[in-house]
Structures are given as structure tokens and as C-alpha cells.
Amino acid sequence: MLPITNVSDYKELAKHKLPRMVYDYYASGAEDQWTLRENMEAFSRIQRTCLCKGCSCCRNYNGLIDNNTFMYNTLSSWSSYSIEEVNMTGPGIRFFQISVFRDRNLVQKLIERAENAGYKAIVNGSALAAYYASQVDRSLSWKDIKWLKEITSLSILVKGILTADDTRVAIECGVAGIIVSNHGGRRLDCVPATINCLEEVVREAKCRIPVFLDGGIRFKALALGASGIFIGRPVLFSLAVDGEAGLRNALQMLRDELEVVMALSGCASLKKITRDHVTTESDRIRRSRL
């Protein structure tokens, strides 16, 4: 196996490990894949600033990431492993991502199983592929969030929010959190990159509920107000390449990269990462007009 120097290396290696159809599903996006590309390119247009500000912390940056950080493990309702099987794999904070099927009784039973297994929250997400579309209720609306709140005591997070208007409605419906997501560019092409929508959602949320980002890039997202980041494709590809060892290595690489950037940015803890540490396209346009 080729040496792995970056998490992105796992994607190329996974191409030779996974069946073509499976790899294409994980790696590709909808239609012309514009949104899939834009998700990454939008991040690259955001620049880091304040490098080496307060360099005293650089002498001892190991452990800059707070000890109380933790991983959310979100299990899809389309998983080939059961709620109970995943729960027996070890400790962790688990969310259950539910697709709202037309059969509401099935939805309620799945949520009850998640509750009994100790899952901490429900993520209301979309279906994973057109193959399953006939089973999913396409008339899903905000009233279904209220229905979910009636049948479970678990916290409910809504995934797929991209605008201030939807943020406002989600909060009015009583959700416990928001995941800014365009579903990896897989569901609909030509929608905005998640990172470009993050600040709008964070401003509207006004610290009333946590706002997470579905996208995988850490420092820039935290600087723009994300409470945390969900990671998908790197987990899948590293597991495909080298199982648990691959996943552990990928997560450690992500952690190491974040610690280095924090150190060079003068951030002694996650709470020290602020908006001043990044410059966006809108910042540059605004300054050019002054």
C-alpha cells in the first residue's frame, strides 16, 4: 500500500478497494457535480490570518484541543448494521439519522429502538439514494418536526439547512440543533457550498442552538461560528482501505493538522478560534470598496 501522507490519500486508495458502484456512490455528486466541487473550492478561497500571533503556545501545542472534545457517531436509518449492533461496538455519543418514511409506525419503532439503545439525538435527514425514494415521504414538512417531538424525548437536529429563513423556522419548531448541509452535493446540484452558508445560519441562530457543519474542514468552520463539524467521506474511505486502523489513522491526522494550525494561529484552545482568524471572499470585496 502506498504511504499515506494526507487524509485525501484514502480516497484514491479506496477506489481500488471498493466495488466500482459503491465507490462512485460515495465519491460522486448529483448531475454535473458542481456543488461537490464547490464544497471544497469554497473552503480554499477562505484564507487563514493571524499566523504566529502569540507564538508562546507553539512551544507546547500538543493537547491544544480541549480534553472534553468528543466524537458524535451518526448512524443512518439505511445502515446495513442494526441500531443495537452499532451500540455494542464501544462507548461514544451516538445520534440516529432518520429518514421519515411514509410508514409513520416504522419511523416511531426505529426511534424507540434508538432511545432504548441509548442514542442521544435524532437527526432528521434525507434519503440516501433515489433507489429508496419510493419509501420516503416526499411531502415532508416542518409539521413533521413537530410530530417527531411528540413521539420522542430525544433531541432533534435538522440536517440540510442553508438559509436564515429555514434557520428561523427550525428554531420556532423547537429543534435542538442545526446541521448546515447540502448532503455532500449528492442530492441536488448547483446549491451553495456549505461553508458559504454557515455564517448566515450562525447569525440567525444567535447562539440559541448549536450550529454544526457537514463538510469535514475544521479550523475555518470553527472560526466562522460552527459548534462542531461532521465528517463523512474520509471515514468511509479510510475504513475501506484499512479498517479500524485506517480510521484511527485518518482521525489522528485530522487532529494533528488542527493542532498545528491552532498553534501557528496562536490558539491555545478551541474557544480561542475566532472570526478574526479567517478572511472570506466577502471580506475581501468589502475591503476593496473602502
Side-chain angles (χ1 to χ4, degrees):
M1 186 171 67
L2 296 173
I4 298 196
T5 59
N6 189 287
V7 170
S8 61
D9 292 339
Y10 280 111
K11 179 181 178 181
E12 184 61 30
L13 292 171
K15 184 186 296 185
H16 306 289
K17 290 274 189 175
L18 292 168
R20 175 66 182 270
M21 182 180 70
V22 174
Y23 175 82
D24 286 347
Y25 173 73
Y26 286 151
S28 66
E31 301 175 26
D32 295 328
Q33 304 189 87
W34 182 89
T35 295
L36 179 66
R37 294 190 298 272
E38 181 66 5
N39 275 345
M40 294 303 299
E41 292 173 5
F43 269 108
S44 69
R45 293 193 292 270
I46 298 173
Q47 299 170 359
R48 300 189 186 104
T49 58
C50 303
L51 292 182
C52 290
K53 178 182 178 181
C55 284
S56 59
C57 70
C58 295
R59 291 194 296 266
N60 183 26
Y61 69 82
N62 286 327
L64 288 180
I65 300 178
D66 308 45
N67 290 330
N68 63 352
T69 58
F70 48 84
M71 181 190 303
Y72 295 103
N73 181 353
T74 305
L75 177 69
S76 169
S77 53
W78 297 108
S79 172
S80 55
Y81 292 92
S82 73
I83 293 169
E84 294 77 13
E85 285 176 310
V86 172
N87 196 52
M88 291 188 295
T89 59
I93 297 174
R94 295 185 173 88
F95 291 174
F96 182 56
Q97 180 168 309
I98 184 73
S99 295
V100 179
F101 303 104
R102 293 176 179 176
D103 184 349
R104 291 297 197 271
N105 187 50
L106 172 60
V107 175
Q108 188 161 352
K109 286 181 178 179
L110 287 170
I111 290 175
E112 288 172 356
R113 286 172 57 191
E115 285 183 340
N116 292 334
Y119 285 63
K120 300 302 182 184
I122 298 297
V123 177
N124 182 216
S126 64
L128 291 180
Y131 175 78
Y132 301 110
S134 63
Q135 301 300 318
V136 176
D137 190 349
R138 293 188 175 184
S139 66
L140 187 69
S141 68
W142 291 110
K143 64 181 174 60
D144 294 292
I145 301 298
K146 297 177 180 178
W147 173 73
L148 287 172
K149 286 179 65 63
E150 291 173 358
I151 67 169
T152 180
S153 60
L154 295 180
S155 299
I156 296 174
L157 288 80
V158 176
K159 179 179 179 181
I161 300 297
L162 295 173
T163 67
D165 287 342
D166 280 347
T167 301
R168 185 165 51 254
V169 176
I171 291 174
E172 290 171 355
C173 289
V175 302
I178 283 171
I179 302 176
V180 178
S181 174
N182 55 31
H183 307 292
R186 183 180 288 118
R187 300 294 295 159
L188 181 66
D189 207 10
C190 294
V191 297
T194 52
I195 194 66
N196 289 342
C197 302
L198 178 59
E199 279 197 287
E200 178 180 337
V201 173
V202 168
R203 280 195 298 267
E204 184 60 38
K206 300 172 185 174
C207 298
R208 289 173 288 179
I209 58 173
V211 175
F212 300 94
L213 184 79
D214 186 20
I217 311 268
R218 287 83 41 212
F219 186 90
K220 293 177 181 178
L222 294 172
L224 293 174
S227 301
I229 295 88
F230 283 80
I231 300 170
R233 287 182 171 104
V235 170
L236 296 169
F237 292 140
S238 59
L239 280 171
V241 171
D242 200 19
E244 182 180 344
L247 175 57
R248 287 184 179 276
N249 185 52
L251 294 177
Q252 187 60 52
M253 291 173 75
L254 291 173
R255 186 185 181 98
D256 291 345
E257 290 171 5
L258 178 56
E259 286 194 333
V260 168
V261 175
M262 287 173 63
L264 294 175
S265 301
C267 298
S269 70
L270 292 174
K271 293 180 181 179
K272 298 294 184 181
I273 302 173
T274 69
R275 181 63 173 79
D276 292 336
H277 287 98
V278 294
T279 301
T280 65
E281 287 182 286
S282 59
D283 294 332
R284 292 190 288 275
I285 292 171
R286 185 171 59 253
R287 291 171 184 171
S288 70
R289 292 174 176 171
L290 294 178

